[in-house]
């Protein structure tokens, strides 16, 4: 049982407000997991109002075209080439400026708005990759990675939606990779397993995103044949600080390779991290060291200036000196 508590010391006169505050506290208690309690405080109310406002704005944001898809290059260490991009949605809020996806994706997920938003992102990203493939020959072998949240993944008509988008945008299925977090893999085991199989039969690739932050269960990795494992940035930040982390990351890389998957390290920011990852045979990296997520126009410029798509001697404007 979860309990929300309001103390009578808080100045509230109306019974409705008392109940509303108890409900807000209860919501916080539920967020803590099962069998927990929370005592209401004024900050909880402020946050609840902010969240409600954000939810209202989010409902209008799609119609008002306030979203934008950015693209972050993923770099192959051995070939020194960009192997693809990850599509990351941005919300340019009219008064609050850019709102982080970490803030609005969970609200979109809770309210179901993610279905419409996610489908829009997928369409934009597929159309963008197809357009690059038409302009730059090096993009033919590139893959566009698109994040898929739990609610999106559980949609009954997900496969039809993806097929329609691929057909409308002309993007070959081999050029699309869907990023799914560990927790989604764990949801409804058999249904998920069947869906992953169908997605793969279409020729689309699958990545396990943020590996290491959730259950990190080895048994599901074996059951769900993913193509790529993305090691969460929290491990990468810790690489230099704590040598134990290097051992963990190395073990993850070995495991992934044994299961036939390739590995991408997320959040690579320093040359030291890059060297450590290279030494343990991690093949791909993504992070600010190379490039932050770029607007579609900036990404096109990057592809134009480096039309060979290689990193070469003259890094692609990447900050890494070890390349
Ligand atoms: P993610 O899929 O793990 O994406 C990687 C996040 O790490 C992105 O944050 C990216 O900007 C950030 N990042 C990349 N390199 C570095 C680095 O070197 N250092 C640091 N500190 N961060 C780095 P972002 O764009 O804020 O997105 C956060 C999360 O929101 C994503 O995590 C993903 O779970 C979700 N998200 C973003 N776009 C979408 C979307 O279109 N659909 C869905 N369902 N989720 C999305
Ligand atoms: Mg991702
Ligand atoms: Mg991730």
């Amino acid at each position: 049982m979860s309990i929300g508590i309001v103390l009578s010391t808080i100045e509230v006169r109306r019974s409705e407000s008392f109940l509303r505050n108890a409900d807000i506290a209860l919501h916080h208690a539920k967020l803590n997991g099962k069998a927990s309690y929370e005592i209401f405080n004024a900050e909880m109310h402020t946050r609840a109002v902010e969240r409600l406002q954000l939810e209202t704005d989010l409902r209008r944001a799609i119609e008002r075209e306030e979203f934008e898809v950015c693209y972050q290059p993923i770099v192959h260490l051995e070939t020194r080439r960009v192997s693809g991009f990850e599509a990351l949605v941005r919300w340019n809020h009219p008064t609050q400026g850019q709102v982080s996806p970490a803030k609005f994706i969970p609200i979109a997920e809770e309210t179901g708005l993610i279905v419409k938003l996610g489908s829009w992102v997928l369409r934009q990203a597929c159309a963008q990759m197809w357009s690059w493939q038409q302009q730059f020959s090096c993009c033919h072998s590139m893959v566009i990675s698109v994040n898929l949240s739990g609610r999106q993944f559980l949609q009954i008509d997900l496969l039809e939606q993806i097929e329609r988008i691929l057909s409308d945008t002309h993007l070959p299925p081999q050029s699309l990779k869907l990023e799914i977090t560990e927790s989604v893999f764990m949801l409804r085991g058999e249904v998920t397993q069947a869906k992953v199989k169908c997605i793969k039969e279409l020729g689309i690739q699958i990545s396990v995103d943020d590996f290491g932050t959730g259950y990190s269960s080895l048994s599901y990795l074996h059951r769900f044949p993913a193509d790529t494992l993305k090691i969460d940035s929290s491990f990468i930040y810790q690489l230099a600080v704590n040598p134990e982390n290097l051992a963990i990351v190395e073990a993850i890389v070995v495991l992934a390779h044994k299961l036939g998957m390739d590995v991408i390290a997320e959040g690579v920011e320093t040359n030291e991290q890059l060297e450590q990852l290279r030494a343990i045979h991690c093949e791909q990296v993504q992070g600010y060291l190379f490039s932050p997520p770029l607007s579609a126009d900036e990404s096109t410029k990057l592809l134009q200036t480096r039309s060979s798509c290689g990193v070469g001697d003259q890094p692609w404007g990447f900050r890494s000196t070890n390349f």
Side-chain angles (χ1 to χ4, degrees), residues 67-127:
F67 291 108
E68 181 190 351
V69 182
C70 283
Y71 300 89
Q72 188 176 33
I74 298 172
V75 179
H76 201 286
L77 285 180
E78 199 176 308
T79 62
R80 298 169 159 231
R81 284 175 188 275
V82 171
S83 57
F85 290 84
E86 177 173 2
L88 293 158
V89 69
R90 295 287 174 266
W91 180 11
N92 300 313
H93 190 284
T95 55
Q96 294 184 29
Q98 216 171 66
V99 184
S100 161
K103 205 165 171 183
F104 72 82
I105 292 285
I107 302 177
E109 175 86 8
E110 237 175 85
T111 51
L113 290 166
I114 192 73
V115 169
K116 203 166 172 191
L117 176 61
S119 162
W120 180 83
V121 172
L122 185 63
R123 187 171 284 276
Q124 293 286 316
C126 290

Side-chain angles (χ1 to χ4, degrees), residues 37-163:
Y37 69 88
E38 275 291 341
I39 301 172
F40 176 81
N41 61 49
E43 201 199 316
M44 283 183 187
H45 181 235
T46 315
R47 267 192 282 155
V49 172
E50 271 174 18
R51 195 190 169 289
L52 199 65
Q53 185 59 50
L54 217 53
E55 188 183 317
T56 314
D57 294 349
L58 199 55
R59 289 185 190 279
R60 294 195 211 116
I62 297 186
E63 281 70 34
R64 293 185 182 175
E65 296 183 8
E66 289 168 8
F67 291 108
E68 181 190 351
V69 182
C70 283
Y71 300 89
Q72 188 176 33
I74 298 172
V75 179
H76 201 286
L77 285 180
E78 199 176 308
T79 62
R80 298 169 159 231
R81 284 175 188 275
V82 171
S83 57
F85 290 84
E86 177 173 2
L88 293 158
V89 69
R90 295 287 174 266
W91 180 11
N92 300 313
H93 190 284
T95 55
Q96 294 184 29
Q98 216 171 66
V99 184
S100 161
K103 205 165 171 183
F104 72 82
I105 292 285
I107 302 177
E109 175 86 8
E110 237 175 85
T111 51
L113 290 166
I114 192 73
V115 169
K116 203 166 172 191
L117 176 61
S119 162
W120 180 83
V121 172
L122 185 63
R123 187 171 284 276
Q124 293 286 316
C126 290
Q128 184 60 71
M129 183 44 91
W130 171 248
S131 155
W132 285 332
Q133 291 187 342
Q134 298 313 293
Q135 295 173 64
F136 311 107
S137 59
C138 63
C139 293
H140 290 149
S141 56
M142 280 193 194
V143 172
I144 185 82
S145 298
V146 181
N147 293 285
L148 217 60
S149 71
R151 188 123 175 200
Q152 277 176 280
F153 187 79
L154 290 176
Q155 289 170 87
I156 295 169
D157 65 343
L158 177 74
L159 284 159
E160 288 82 358
Q161 251 187 61
I162 298 173
E163 279 186 289

Side-chain angles (χ1 to χ4, degrees), residues 74-81 83 177 208 211 227-233 235-236 239 245-258 261-287 289-290 323:
I74 298 172
V75 179
H76 201 286
L77 285 180
E78 199 176 308
T79 62
R80 298 169 159 231
R81 284 175 188 275
S83 57
K177 196 182 263 194
V208 181
F211 186 77
D227 301 273
T228 305
L229 198 70
K230 296 191 81 170
I231 304 179
D232 190 66
S233 52
F235 286 104
I236 312 303
L239 273 183
N245 271 287
L246 186 61
I248 295 174
V249 174
E250 188 172 8
I252 296 174
V253 174
V254 171
L255 168 78
H257 289 165
K258 284 233 154 65
M261 289 182 272
D262 57 2
V263 181
I264 300 178
E266 298 191 272
V268 179
E269 293 186 352
T270 67
N271 282 310
E272 291 72 33
Q273 291 166 344
L274 182 67
E275 282 320 303
Q276 284 174 308
L277 289 163
R278 208 198 286 274
I280 59 169
H281 310 294
C282 169
E283 52 268 72
Q284 296 184 72
V285 287
Q286 179 182 349
L289 180 64
F290 303 98
F323 243 79

Side-chain angles (χ1 to χ4, degrees), residues 22 28-29 36:
H28 278 257
S36 146

